[in-house]
Amino acid sequence: MFKKKMSLLLCMAMTAGIFAGCAAKKSDTEGDIKIGVVLPLTGPVSSFGKSGQNGIKLLEDQVNKDGGINGRKIKFLFEDDEGKPDTATTVGTKLISNDNVVAIVGPLTSGSCIALGPIATQSKVPMITGSGTNPDVTTKGGEYVYRACFIDPFQGTVIAKFASGDLKAKTAAILYDNGNDYSKGLAEFFEKGFVAAGGKIVAKETYATNDKDFKAQLTKIKPTKPDVILLPDYYSTVGNIAKQARAIDIKVPLLGGDGWDSAELFKVGGDAVNGCYLSDHYSADDTAPLVVEFQKEYKAKYNLNADAMAVLNYDAAKIMVEAIKTAGKTDGPSIKEALSKTNLEVVSGKVSFDKNRDAIKGAVILKVDAGKFNFVKKLVP
């Protein structure tokens, strides 16, 4: 009797295993293809996250309207990391372990990317960020982590060359957040580039994340009389610093990177940011057909003009979708292999990847004036 019961239980277990195996196999080839997205939908850079979400939702509509990926619809699952690395690891792990996503788009900020990347690689889930520019994003993230944007060494050099060449600046001051990977990285590479071009750094001051009062640092910078001041941070902090700088009669141009690109910059900084410059990934003034068409569809869906974060996250998601199409499978290694062979024209330009899985692409310089980011020039690697 015991043997019969054991045989029956064993048979039932094997049958259940077979059905489970069939179900797992079926799920790989049927139903929606789920792609995770990690963005700061709340917190100090939520404007970026919401723009990125808009861009990705537009892509989802476009892809599914055209039949999806190999006949299967795609579904982007959004999680909010608040722009915090610890939260990014929590929500990213949830997407991988609980939601069983085949890939991840994001995170948006460098710190969150650096935190989540190793988890994605360990899980063999391909991840692509549209805007994490710190070099550590891919070098520390591992072989499953890609980025669709330029990196800070390039961006910092671009700003430095523009300052010394186009603006004829001989001296510069730097004011940055010592607790932010993006801010520290951009400050470092600007300094290297500016000094290499013959310039001199006359002051370098730091502050802590979430600081609101910068008068002490600005008061130290003012007597050094720099020709330009680098503020490598995000729009909300930059706008605040700009107003305090102008309040103590610092009139020189302020310089920054892609973290400035948000309509919120004008709300926070007002007239204080006029006449300042930033490096960015694309210009809305670009007349390339892909840019014009994207702007048209984005405006029709949201009644807004697309900023760089909308474009970059759309592009990152587009690259991932095309890789899944090319792979013809949804397993991590196959998608990763297809990603490595990317050579795609997207809204922000043509993208391929170097040996570190960083995008090879150019940058633009924009001038802030009267509530607009105006195109100045384009620079390529």
Side-chain angles (χ1 to χ4, degrees), residues 300-349:
K301 185 173 176 66
Y302 301 110
N303 195 31
L304 294 168
N305 293 318
D307 59 18
M309 291 301 151
V311 170
L312 291 173
N313 284 277
Y314 174 94
D315 284 352
K318 175 77 170 177
I319 291 166
M320 186 63 78
V321 165
E322 291 300 318
I324 297 171
K325 282 183 182 178
T326 300
K329 302 175 183 179
T330 56
D331 64 281
S334 296
I335 298 171
K336 178 177 76 73
E337 178 65 20
L339 275 172
S340 68
K341 298 175 181 177
T342 295
N343 188 13
L344 187 66
E345 192 78 38
V346 290
V347 179
S348 60

Side-chain angles (χ1 to χ4, degrees), residues 166-314:
D166 296 70
L167 299 182
K168 310 298 182 187
K170 302 297 183 185
T171 60
I174 302 173
L175 177 57
Y176 68 100
D177 180 350
N178 198 35
N180 180 294
D181 291 319
Y182 167 76
S183 190
K184 286 192 296 184
L186 201 50
E188 175 190 347
F189 297 115
F190 170 84
E191 180 175 3
K192 287 180 180 178
F194 192 71
V195 171
K200 181 180 180 182
I201 304 299
V202 293
K204 188 159 63 171
E205 297 291 330
T206 66
Y207 53 87
T209 304
N210 298 323
D211 277 358
K212 303 296 182 186
D213 188 346
F214 308 93
K215 291 177 185 175
Q217 294 93 328
L218 291 168
T219 299
K220 289 180 181 178
I221 289 172
K222 185 179 177 180
T224 66
K225 299 180 179 180
D227 295 324
V228 294
I229 300 175
L230 180 76
L231 303 179
D233 209 327
Y234 302 121
Y235 59 88
S236 54
T237 301
V238 168
N240 196 5
I241 294 175
K243 288 174 74 172
Q244 293 181 35
R246 301 317 187 204
I248 63 170
D249 208 33
I250 294 177
K251 298 178 179 179
V252 300
L254 309 176
L255 310 178
D258 55 326
W260 287 30
D261 188 357
S262 170
E264 295 294 317
L265 176 69
F266 310 116
K267 294 180 183 178
V268 179
D271 292 340
V273 294
N274 285 340
C276 300
Y277 298 89
L278 65 144
S279 61
D280 212 343
H281 304 265
Y282 102 117
S283 169
D285 297 331
D286 196 329
T287 57
L290 272 177
V291 176
V292 173
E293 183 62 25
F294 174 81
Q295 289 284 1
K296 178 182 175 183
E297 294 195 30
Y298 190 91
K299 186 72 177 282
K301 185 173 176 66
Y302 301 110
N303 195 31
L304 294 168
N305 293 318
D307 59 18
M309 291 301 151
V311 170
L312 291 173
N313 284 277
Y314 174 94

Side-chain angles (χ1 to χ4, degrees), residues 117-152:
I119 296 172
T121 291
Q122 185 178 7
S123 305
K124 295 186 177 180
V125 173
M127 173 179 132
I128 184 167
T129 175
S131 51
T133 52
N134 188 288
D136 287 345
V137 167
T138 48
T139 57
K140 290 186 176 179
E143 62 178 323
Y144 276 77
V145 179
Y146 289 75
R147 83 174 99 217
C149 53
F150 51 60
I151 60 176
D152 286 335

